[in-house]
Amino acid sequence: MKTHFTINGQAASLDLDPRTTLLDALRERLDLKGSKKGCDHGQCGACTVLVNGQRINACLSLAVTHEGDEITTIEGLAQGEALHPVQAAFLEHDAFQCGYCTPGQICSTIGMLKEAADGWASLATDDLTADTVLTDEEIRERMSGNLCRCSAYPQILAAIRSAGGLA
Amino acid sequence: MKPFTYERPADVAEALAMAAAVPGSRFLAGGTNLVDLMKLQIEQPTHLVDVSRLPLAEIAETAEGGLRLGATTTNSQVAADMKVRARYPALAQAILSGASGQLRNKATTAGNLLQRTRCAYFYDTTKPCNKRQPGAGCAAIGGIYANTAIFGSSEACIATHPSDMAVAMSALDAQVEIAGPNGQERAISLEALHRLPGETPHIETSLQPGEMITAVVLPPPPPGGQIYRKARERASYAFAIGSVAVAGGKVALGAVAHKPWRARAAEQALADGANPAEAMAAELSSAKPDGHNDFKLKLMARLGAACLTTTGAGDGQ
């Protein structure tokens, strides 16, 4: 089934078996292997990409449903040699060990920071109608869909705090 | 995944017609549960009708002073909506306590309601399950698994409905609007949507073949406090092992039955002047734990009493 989308600013057109997930289309058809297949069931977050600016699990989304969508993966974040501020913050704060979850962590962070900027609440928000303040507890709650088996969580938290202008 | 065909309708009428035309069709919205189960071949639709782009993503005021949540509003969208946050805080809290940020960005209002009622053995295709294969037997009964029902279970199934959102909607007396393949429309209470397992645990809702949920309607918020609290085995991103929604004098419990469990006995006790602990004791007097899940009696008694105390529901409202 012919499907058209924009991947990292470039138009792409694929003839897809409807069974193909967005993650498999990115990795196997477009050779964008930054997005990782960890659990393949929406439990680990390693496949997180941005679709029209929102973070989703690419492993649980059929590629044919993304006709016309703008998709951003880890490969599309840097401007030439200049890293995206969230990428730079992860480097600065040593926010990974093996690196497998990192592309998902970074894409998820970008989506999460936009959600917070848009005033979305989380379960860590005491007053649901107050302005959003990204405390450490808020960041942890909002990032709970991204697992790090090396447990670099303190450094990931520091990187996100820094990238979000919170430290 | 088994092979299937795929179509994307432009409106509800076209979606219903497309689904009616192919036996074994399923509606696909966010896909966070359906696609997952298709990978395991637990769900094997022959045809997917992608309803995710139907014009059903509005949150609108109703003439009665409530809100109509379109079927394809996302969980994130509903939880972020200031009308929901201000007037239905229990619903916002319930949604935000479910899944992860990524999943809530895809999962929809109707899809959340229609996710499969399930337990760990439902996912284990090497074990018998009356949901996957009617008549096969139930590996959970007598199995080693604690997150099972204490209300309304049967000899065929002891699974629980995993939604947080639906528990809050039950306490809020939500209505579900449904469109059928011949153009008929009907509305039922959320309480009437999900079924207890009985002898047919594979039939989880009262939707008829080809019917589609188009909206959930919240009546005006009841007087009194609201809360949703969830107990789970880790701090975030896990299913409930027990949850409580309170809205005024209405109480619903999660992770204790095959459906969101409306705690009518507790509500009656409160109306009769019982205090929170007495009200929960009245509800739990009919619970039937199975050994592995005995802890839910104490958990729900305490969690429920805490919620009723916090909202002041036992204060003679």
Side-chain angles (χ1 to χ4, degrees):
Chain A
M1 186 172 175
K2 205 78 171 166
T3 304
H4 312 80
F5 24 54
T6 305
I7 311 264
N8 297 330
Q10 303 277 320
S13 174
L14 292 176
D15 195 18
L16 292 164
D17 183 315
R19 291 175 289 183
T20 313
T21 62
L22 177 59
L23 179 62
D24 284 342
L26 292 169
R27 288 179 55 86
E28 307 300 332
R29 300 291 301 277
L30 296 164
D31 207 27
L32 293 169
K33 299 198 172 166
S35 307
K36 295 294 185 278
K37 185 182 279 196
C39 68
D40 209 24
H41 288 280
Q43 298 168 1
C44 75
C47 67
T48 304
V49 300
L50 299 164
V51 174
N52 304 325
Q54 288 202 342
R55 53 180 173 158
I56 69 162
N57 300 110
C59 74
L60 285 185
S61 199
L62 297 174
V64 291
T65 66
H66 288 286
E67 174 68 32
D69 282 347
E70 289 196 21
I71 295 150
T72 304
T73 69
I74 191 72
E75 291 91 342
L77 295 179
Q79 304 284 323
E81 293 298 303
L83 293 179
H84 185 283
V86 175
Q87 289 176 306
F90 270 64
L91 266 184
E92 170 71 21
H93 292 271
D94 199 17
F96 42 80
Q97 183 171 313
C98 81
Y100 193 82
C101 73
T102 310
Q105 297 277 4
I106 288 174
C107 288
S108 187
T109 298
I110 294 168
M112 184 277 285
L113 290 174
K114 178 170 187 301
E115 292 164 9
D118 289 344
W120 291 16
S122 87
L123 195 64
T125 309
D126 288 330
D127 181 350
L128 283 174
T129 56
D131 290 342
T132 302
V133 180
L134 275 186
T135 61
D136 287 358
E137 189 190 357
E138 283 273 5
I139 293 171
R140 287 194 191 98
E141 165 60 28
R142 290 166 191 259
M143 292 296 293
S144 69
N146 291 86
L147 304 186
C148 171
R149 292 296 77 180
C150 307
S151 219
Y153 296 114
Q155 292 91 332
I156 293 171
L157 178 65
I160 295 173
R161 217 190 277 132
S162 161
L166 305 162
Chain B
M1 278 182 249
K2 296 284 189 186
F4 56 87
T5 49
Y6 171 90
E7 283 184 295
R8 193 182 305 119
D11 56 36
V12 171
E14 194 182 1
L16 293 164
M18 284 176 173
V22 185
S25 290
R26 291 291 298 269
F27 295 118
L28 173 74
T32 54
N33 187 222
L34 181 57
V35 173
D36 188 30
L37 292 170
M38 286 165 62
K39 289 184 177 190
L40 298 166
Q41 300 189 6
I42 294 170
E43 293 278 7
Q44 300 184 5
T46 57
H47 186 58
L48 286 183
V49 178
D50 180 357
V51 297
S52 65
R53 299 188 189 209
L54 294 183
L56 298 173
E58 296 263 322
I59 300 174
E61 299 278 356
T62 66
E64 294 72 32
L67 289 179
R68 173 178 281 100
L69 313 175
T72 60
T73 49
T74 63
N75 286 181
S76 290
Q77 178 192 354
V78 174
D81 188 276
M82 210 42 100
K83 299 184 289 293
V84 174
R85 287 154 71 174
R87 286 150 57 188
Y88 303 96
L91 177 58
Q93 287 170 336
I95 293 173
L96 291 170
S97 70
S100 66
Q102 290 96 315
L103 289 167
R104 292 192 297 268
N105 282 344
K106 283 294 284 183
T108 63
T109 295
N112 186 314
L113 293 178
L114 297 178
Q115 66 181 305
R116 296 298 304 269
T117 298
R118 56 199 192 263
C119 80
Y121 290 99
F122 174 72
Y123 276 89
D124 183 351
T125 53
T126 68
K127 301 287 190 303
C129 171
N130 287 320
K131 282 185 180 296
R132 277 188 272 108
Q133 193 185 342
C138 172
I141 296 173
I144 300 173
Y145 184 64
N147 200 4
T148 48
I150 56 172
F151 292 111
S153 58
S154 71
E155 295 294 308
C157 182
I158 57 173
T160 57
H161 194 265
S163 173
D164 296 293
M165 180 194 83
V167 180
M169 285 178 172
S170 177
L172 289 164
D173 277 327
Q175 294 276 309
V176 180
E177 294 185 345
I178 296 163
N182 300 314
Q184 70 274 36
E185 295 179 0
R186 64 190 182 107
I188 60 173
S189 71
L190 184 102
E191 205 179 354
L193 176 66
H194 298 99
R195 302 171 79 246
L196 289 175
E199 295 302 306
T200 54
H202 59 293
I203 303 171
E204 294 170 357
T205 74
S206 58
L207 290 184
Q208 298 300 306
E211 282 190 326
M212 182 177 137
I213 293 175
T214 53
V216 171
V217 178
L218 303 173
Q226 292 182 28
I227 196 168
Y228 183 78
R229 277 186 65 184
K230 172 176 180 176
R232 47 186 158 180
E233 290 174 335
R234 61 183 180 195
S236 183
Y237 194 23
F239 289 117
I241 53 173
S243 71
V244 178
V246 177
K250 312 288 178 62
V251 188
L253 311 179
V256 294
H258 203 257
K259 57 184 287 186
W261 188 257
R262 185 69 180 265
R264 298 278 181 193
E267 291 174 10
Q268 186 61 52
L270 288 172
D272 293 341
N275 69 31
E278 292 163 350
M280 289 309 298
E283 188 65 39
L284 291 162
S285 65
S286 64
K288 290 189 175 61
D290 69 359
H292 287 299
N293 65 13
D294 289 358
F295 73 93
K296 290 196 181 191
L297 294 180
K298 213 172 258 185
L299 174 72
M300 298 312 292
R302 291 173 177 172
L303 196 60
C307 289
L308 292 169
T309 302
T310 303
T311 57
D315 297 345
Q317 287 170 30

